[in-house]
Amino acid sequence: MPSFKDTFLKYDWNQIKHDIYTKQPADVERALVKTHRNLEDFKALISPAADAYLEDMARQSKALTLQRFGNNIQLFAPMYLSNECQNICTYCGFSLGNKLPRKTLNPNEIDREVAALQSMGFKHILLVTGEANKTVGLEYFKKVLRQIRSDFAHISMEVQPLDEDEYRQLIPLGLHAVLVYQETYHQKDYARHHPKGKKSNFFYRLETPDRLGRAGVHKMGLGVLIGLEDWRVDSFYVALHLKYLEQTYWRTKYSISFPRLRPFSGGLDPKVEMTDRQLVQQITAYRLLNPDVELSLSTREKTSFRDHVFQLGITSMSAGSKTNPGGYATAPESLEQFEISDERSPSEIVALIKSKGYEPVWKDWDVALEHGEIRTEAI
Amino acid sequence: MENLQIADRTFHSRLILGSGKFSSAKLMRDSIQASGTELVTVALKRVDMQSQNDSMLEAVGEVGLLPNTSGVRTASEAVFAAELAREALQTNWLKLEIHPDPKYLLPDPVETLKAAEELVKKGFIVMPYIHADPVLCKRLEEVGVACVMPLGAPIGSNKGLKTADFLEIIIEQSQVPVVVDAGIGAPSHAAAAMEMGADAVLVNTAIAVAQDPVNMALAFKLAVEAGRMAFESKLGAVSHAASASSPLTSFVDA
């Protein structure tokens, strides 16, 4: 079956890196005056040569985002269901080697978390788990979706990659979007960071968006963990992946996130430091390449940075996030995945968004709009 | 200026507003007021139907509400959404939008025709958003839609009437009102559509993301009125040659 793997194997990491690092100011200028930009232009926009053009990029990115998305910022919150994990990942607080108590929420605890999130105003929710297929697998997800589908307007998931058939079973239960980050597209480094567990299978993860696309998911989120490898090259691969997916699964909507490595229990220092200025470059480069892709910013980023950068291309933000299961109401002390940086409450984030002339959007979907008849039968 | 008749309703204004991109509910309310519109379309996905005081609906206020099905990908999803809207918002008016391509939001003609036929049978006043396809417009007319809403350019592009040649054919052939929807980015585009003979225009992005949306809404109101008045006043024909004062054939009558 054709997949992104075929495309991926045609590209060489070192060649891409060379292309990016040898871009000249003229390449950047050419990219900046175009209305439709290609991947070659994107290489210029994420190159060191583009640093001098950051203001131009930011202005164009802001204008494009306003035109396509209006003055709206979508709000969402993660809800961590479990921190159990069978993988060893060098950069993650949930890693199997991290000998700390594990927790998976039961239905009562989920109800309490839902109530807490609803009281804050959230209607878009992102369900997050580690990767523990035996205890937190398909059947657990089905139960959770059935339990909470009527509580939220939009349900996304960031869990272990699943098989196509498993996605097909979850989508009619209210699963609208799936986020799956490749972490890094550098195969050797990927193997070094994921020595044990199902996640060590680079290509199974790489082909997850293909399985999602074939299963008919409404939206999928891509990204890499910034800090594991050269962010410029990894960004190119995300853009390449996005282009392939948009052409292949054209009914699906796409989003990109920019998670930078954050401190966690037993943590790893980033191999590659990305400055705030570089993150702005990355965000605006994606917007200039693709005016329609959703760009999401998490509470990993510090307050002062989020206050400004959200106006330069971002379309959705998390707020008031807890990265541990039960963090909102039932088990505030459980093991978290990473430390968040922006600890402001959702109401403070709303006030910030409004103060900058934007409209905080709590609801931009309705589970009732999907698969009406099928969904009713699936309950 | 003549009134506009769509289904059983009469409108004085020929400007319909979209609601998705304003920076606040207050700005949206003020823009609606300045535009003089009597019909505002609201995406069902943005409405909190469990809430008694949804900010989108409050902003629309007393103006006619036109729910739209933005986000659905198939005819069956559109029909389901329409019934949900009718029940929750107490209106059988519906802007039918089926665009399975979330990138350019271009309408699916096959699913739209299928959904329109079923929705008309179910008693909806259907206003379908479509590509500027003259044949599709006639097919939709045959199944009983209240108007057709062909696009001028991709949604949100502000590019104007890129489909002008096809809009002219649609306007010439249509027996239901023609509302140019999508792509209108400046009051001059709206005026051009009205001069061409369109019955109304729908505008969102051009007003909502303007630096001064309220003033821009007023500008569109005036442009739509001017364009319509020009159409009703019968514009002079365009000629690329001068009219000779000494005709070549004058000798035949001499």
Side-chain angles (χ1 to χ4, degrees):
Chain A
M1 197 172 294
S3 79
F4 179 64
K5 182 179 176 181
D6 309 322
T7 303
F8 174 80
L9 291 174
K10 290 176 188 164
Y11 286 80
D12 175 71
W13 178 280
N14 291 325
Q15 182 60 51
I16 302 293
K17 188 169 184 171
H18 175 266
D19 292 352
I20 292 168
Y21 281 86
T22 52
K23 290 292 180 189
Q24 299 300 308
D27 299 314
V28 182
E29 287 167 16
R30 210 170 14 253
L32 283 171
V33 297
K34 280 183 157 184
T35 48
H36 290 278
R37 300 174 179 96
N38 57 30
L39 288 172
E40 214 49 45
D41 298 317
F42 185 73
K43 285 179 189 170
L45 295 171
I46 53 170
S47 73
D51 179 78
Y53 299 87
L54 193 63
E55 183 62 24
D56 279 356
M57 289 172 68
R59 285 182 190 281
Q60 283 201 47
S61 177
K62 182 174 182 172
L64 277 172
T65 309
L66 275 178
Q67 186 184 359
R68 171 64 184 81
F69 294 91
N71 300 269
N72 295 319
I73 296 289
Q74 177 68 52
L75 291 171
F76 72 96
M79 182 165 110
Y80 278 70
L81 296 169
S82 171
N83 56 18
E84 290 186 53
C85 195
Q86 297 306 309
N87 293 320
I88 290 181
C89 302
T90 57
Y91 51 79
C92 180
F94 291 172
S95 187
L96 182 65
N98 206 343
K99 298 297 178 198
L100 288 162
R102 303 292 169 150
K103 179 163 190 60
T104 297
L105 298 185
N106 63 37
N108 287 339
E109 291 169 326
I110 289 170
D111 276 343
R112 287 168 60 196
E113 292 292 296
V114 165
L117 284 162
Q118 283 181 314
S119 71
M120 291 186 251
F122 287 108
K123 298 195 180 296
H124 285 221
I125 193 81
L126 169 66
L127 303 176
V128 190
T129 68
E131 299 197 9
N133 257 316
K134 285 181 185 150
T135 49
V136 189
L138 180 67
E139 290 311 312
Y140 180 82
F141 298 140
K142 280 179 164 179
K143 283 179 190 162
V144 172
L145 286 171
R146 286 193 179 103
Q147 182 180 344
I148 70 166
R149 57 184 287 174
S150 57
D151 296 320
F152 295 104
H154 182 287
I155 300 171
S156 308
M157 267 173 62
E158 188 181 342
V159 304
Q160 68 270 33
L162 301 171
D163 293 342
E164 183 180 332
D165 176 62
E166 293 176 309
Y167 288 129
R168 283 187 191 280
Q169 293 179 61
L170 294 174
I171 290 166
L173 297 175
L175 176 61
H176 185 84
V178 174
L179 278 55
V180 58
Y181 305 143
Q182 187 60 28
E183 315 300 13
T184 178
Y185 287 80
H186 190 289
Q187 253 184 286
K188 277 186 183 165
D189 245 28
Y190 183 94
R192 197 167 59 81
H193 287 295
H194 307 96
K196 187 176 184 302
K198 197 172 179 181
K199 195 169 176 177
S200 60
N201 186 335
F202 178 87
F203 285 111
Y204 182 74
R205 193 171 189 88
L206 189 77
E207 292 177 316
T208 306
D210 281 285
R211 295 193 299 278
L212 278 163
R214 288 194 297 267
V217 76
H218 260 263
K219 186 161 90 178
M220 60 177 101
L222 307 175
V224 291
L225 185 54
I226 298 162
L228 295 186
E229 246 303 339
D230 186 316
W231 67 267
R232 300 181 202 272
V233 186
D234 259 335
S235 296
F236 171 82
Y237 276 97
V238 171
L240 178 71
H241 206 161
L242 175 67
K243 181 172 183 278
Y244 160 85
L245 291 166
E246 282 190 332
Q247 288 178 336
T248 312
Y249 308 105
W250 59 273
R251 288 181 175 83
T252 300
K253 195 184 277 194
Y254 297 92
S255 69
I256 296 175
S257 302
F258 313 93
R260 282 199 281 188
L261 207 48
R262 291 280 308 145
F264 71 94
S265 182
L268 162 98
D269 286 331
K271 172 182 172 181
V272 183
E273 286 280 0
M274 181 197 231
T275 64
D276 286 357
R277 190 175 171 87
Q278 289 169 337
L279 181 51
V280 171
Q281 183 184 349
Q282 186 191 34
I283 290 168
T284 56
Y286 278 123
R287 175 58 67 227
L288 267 56
L289 173 71
N290 191 320
D292 305 288
V293 71
E294 295 184 6
L295 300 178
S296 185
L297 192 68
S298 83
T299 52
R300 288 170 182 257
E301 300 303 334
K302 57 184 183 289
T303 304
S304 57
F305 182 73
R306 290 208 336 150
D307 286 2
H308 293 94
V309 79
F310 86 83
Q311 302 165 78
L312 304 182
I314 296 300
T315 56
S316 68
M317 286 169 79
S318 54
S321 303
K322 304 292 181 194
T323 70
N324 53 325
Y328 296 104
T330 56
E333 300 307 315
S334 70
L335 171 65
E336 61 185 3
Q337 189 180 29
F338 57 86
E339 292 172 19
I340 63 163
S341 189
D342 183 350
E343 296 186 331
R344 288 172 295 182
S345 68
S347 58
E348 287 173 300
I349 298 295
V350 164
L352 161 77
I353 291 169
K354 285 183 171 174
S355 75
K356 304 281 188 181
Y358 284 74
E359 176 78 354
V361 175
W362 292 102
K363 179 179 182 290
D364 192 29
W365 188 245
D366 205 301
V367 285
L369 295 179
E370 268 173 86
H371 311 290
E373 310 86 331
I374 307 167
R375 297 174 55 76
T376 312
E377 288 164 16
I379 296 174
Chain B
M1 196 172 77
E2 292 170 7
N3 287 333
L4 167 67
Q5 189 76 29
I6 301 178
D8 59 348
R9 284 185 61 186
T10 304
F11 298 91
H12 304 296
S13 167
R14 290 174 176 268
L15 173 60
I16 301 171
L17 246 58
S19 59
K21 295 184 176 180
F22 287 92
S23 62
S24 73
K26 183 186 182 306
L27 207 53
M28 182 170 136
R29 197 166 43 244
D30 293 348
S31 301
I32 288 170
Q33 205 167 1
S35 73
T37 186
E38 294 162 282
L39 198 59
V40 176
T41 184
V42 173
L44 198 56
K45 62 182 182 164
R46 286 284 297 271
V47 177
D48 184 357
M49 282 169 286
Q50 293 165 329
S51 167
Q52 294 305 303
N53 49 358
D54 179 82
S55 61
M56 294 283 282
L57 298 181
E58 280 181 357
V60 174
E62 298 305 302
V63 177
L65 179 68
L66 179 61
N68 71 56
T69 58
S70 173
V72 305
R73 302 191 292 188
T74 64
S76 65
E77 286 178 2
V79 171
F80 189 83
E83 288 178 324
L84 199 75
R86 180 159 62 181
E87 191 181 338
L89 304 173
Q90 298 297 297
T91 176
N92 63 341
W93 282 60
L94 184 82
K95 184 182 173 208
L96 176 61
E97 291 187 40
I98 304 179
H99 32 75
D101 162 19
K103 189 171 169 66
Y104 291 109
L105 306 178
L106 292 169
D108 182 324
V110 178
E111 295 296 310
T112 301
L113 182 60
K114 211 188 317 182
E117 186 165 18
E118 192 171 342
L119 288 165
V120 168
K121 284 177 186 164
K122 287 175 178 280
F124 285 91
I125 307 295
V126 180
M127 300 172 66
Y129 159 65
I130 44 169
H131 214 294
D133 178 340
V135 174
L136 178 62
C137 285
K138 294 309 285 180
R139 294 289 304 269
L140 284 161
E141 198 180 289
E142 285 169 355
V143 303
V145 298
C147 71
V148 287
M149 302 181 83
L151 56 81
I155 287 183
S157 68
N158 289 343
K159 288 181 176 176
L161 305 181
K162 295 294 181 192
T163 58
D165 289 354
F166 302 99
L167 291 172
E168 282 175 348
I169 297 169
I170 291 165
I171 289 164
E172 177 202 330
Q173 292 185 333
S174 187
Q175 292 180 299
V176 293
V178 177
V179 181
V180 178
D181 174 14
I184 291 177
S188 55
H189 300 155
M194 299 309 292
E195 285 174 12
M196 196 187 282
D199 295 281
V201 294
L202 190 148
V203 182
N204 179 16
T205 303
I207 293 174
V209 305
Q211 198 152 2
D212 184 346
V214 180
N215 227 19
M216 187 60 79
L218 176 60
F220 269 95
K221 174 183 190 283
L222 298 172
V224 168
E225 287 172 2
R228 181 65 191 182
M229 285 169 74
F231 172 76
E232 289 178 11
S233 307
K234 304 286 183 285
L235 290 155
V238 176
S239 171
H240 292 291
S243 299
S245 53
S246 304
L248 293 175
T249 54
S250 58
F251 70 92
V252 295
D253 299 318

